[in-house]
C-alpha cells in the first residue's frame, strides 16, 4: 500500500483496480479529471485515522457492524439484479464475492449511514463523469436500498 503526504495527514491509495462495468475500471491512486481517485475502503481508513487524530467518534455504524453487513448484502444483491437487467452478469452472489469487495460494500453502507447527505455517486469522486447511465443507476439503487432499510429500522 502506498501513501502520499498531504499537510499533516496521509492519504491512502491501495492501487487496486476495481472494474466498474462495460470494460471500464477505477484504480485507487490514479489521476483522473478532478484529481486522484480513492477507493471507498482507503477513504474509510483515512476518515477513521483523521477521526482518531481529532478524537472524534467513528460513528455508530462501523463497517464491522452486523446491521451494516446485512444492508451491504441486500444492497449488493439488489444491484447485481439491476445489472443483470442491463445484461451485465459479472456480479457474483454475496457468498462468492471476494472479501475485499465485501469490505468495499460495507464501507459504502457505513459511509451512507453515517453521512445521510452523501450523494449516491460520492464514492466515485471525480471519476463520476465517466460512469455510464447504468452505472449511475446502480449507484442510486445501492444508495436507495441502504436508506430504505435504515428508515425501516427506525420504525
Amino acid at each position: 500500500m502506498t501513501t502520499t503526504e498531504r499537510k499533516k495527514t496521509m492519504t491512502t491509495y491501495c492501487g487496486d483496480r476495481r472494474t466498474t462495468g462495460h470494460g471500464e475500471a477505477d484504480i485507487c491512486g490514479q489521476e483522473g479529471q478532478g484529481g486522484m481517485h480513492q477507493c471507498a475502503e482507503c477513504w474509510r481508513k483515512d476518515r477513521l485515522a483523521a477521526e482518531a487524530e481529532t478524537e472524534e467518534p467513528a460513528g455508530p455504524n462501523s463497517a464491522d457492524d452486523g446491521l451494516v453487513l446485512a444492508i451491504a448484502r441486500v444492497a449488493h444483491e439488489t444491484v447485481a439484479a439491476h445489472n443483470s437487467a442491463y445484461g451485465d452478469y459479472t456480479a457474483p452472489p454475496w457468498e462468492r464475492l471476494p472479501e475485499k469487495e465485501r469490505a468495499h460494500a460495507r464501507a459504502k453502507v457505513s459511509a451512507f449511514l453515517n453521512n445521510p447527505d452523501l450523494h449516491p455517486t460520492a464514492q466515485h469522486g471525480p471519476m463520476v463523469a465517466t460512469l455510464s447511465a447504468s452505472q449511475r443507476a446502480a449507484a442510486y439503487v445501492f444508495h436507495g436500498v441502504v436508506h430504505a432499510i435504515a428508515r425501516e429500522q427506525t420504525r
Side-chain angles (χ1 to χ4, degrees):
M1 186 168 300
T2 62
T3 55
T4 303
E5 187 168 339
R6 287 189 184 165
K7 297 179 186 174
K8 291 184 180 180
T9 61
M10 301 293 283
T11 303
T12 305
Y13 300 108
C14 62
D16 285 339
R17 179 184 191 99
R18 183 180 62 82
T19 302
T20 58
H22 307 289
E24 299 166 0
D26 289 337
I27 299 174
C28 185
Q30 181 182 39
E31 187 74 29
Q33 293 174 344
M36 293 291 245
H37 169 72
Q38 186 179 36
C39 71
E41 187 62 25
C42 289
W43 174 84
R44 182 173 97 51
K45 287 177 184 175
D46 287 349
R47 190 190 91 218
L48 292 174
E51 287 174 351
E53 286 177 7
T54 60
E55 299 182 19
E56 293 178 22
N61 302 298
S62 73
D64 298 324
D65 184 12
L67 178 61
V68 169
L69 172 62
I71 293 173
R73 179 185 180 133
V74 171
H76 168 77
E77 294 289 350
T78 304
V79 168
H82 168 272
N83 290 347
S84 294
Y86 283 91
D88 178 359
Y89 304 100
T90 58
W94 182 261
E95 293 80 17
R96 291 196 340 245
L97 198 64
E99 179 53 37
K100 185 169 192 147
E101 291 181 37
R102 287 185 191 188
H104 178 73
R106 290 192 312 266
K108 287 193 313 186
V109 169
S110 179
F112 287 142
L113 292 176
N114 290 324
N115 305 290
D117 295 330
L118 196 61
H119 193 270
T121 60
Q123 75 176 57
H124 298 286
M127 301 300 287
V128 72
T130 65
L131 297 178
S132 68
S134 65
Q135 290 169 322
R136 280 192 303 278
Y140 276 84
V141 167
F142 191 97
H143 182 266
V145 168
V146 169
H147 286 292
I149 294 172
R151 283 191 304 274
E152 188 62 29
Q153 290 295 311
T154 62
R155 291 173 51 143

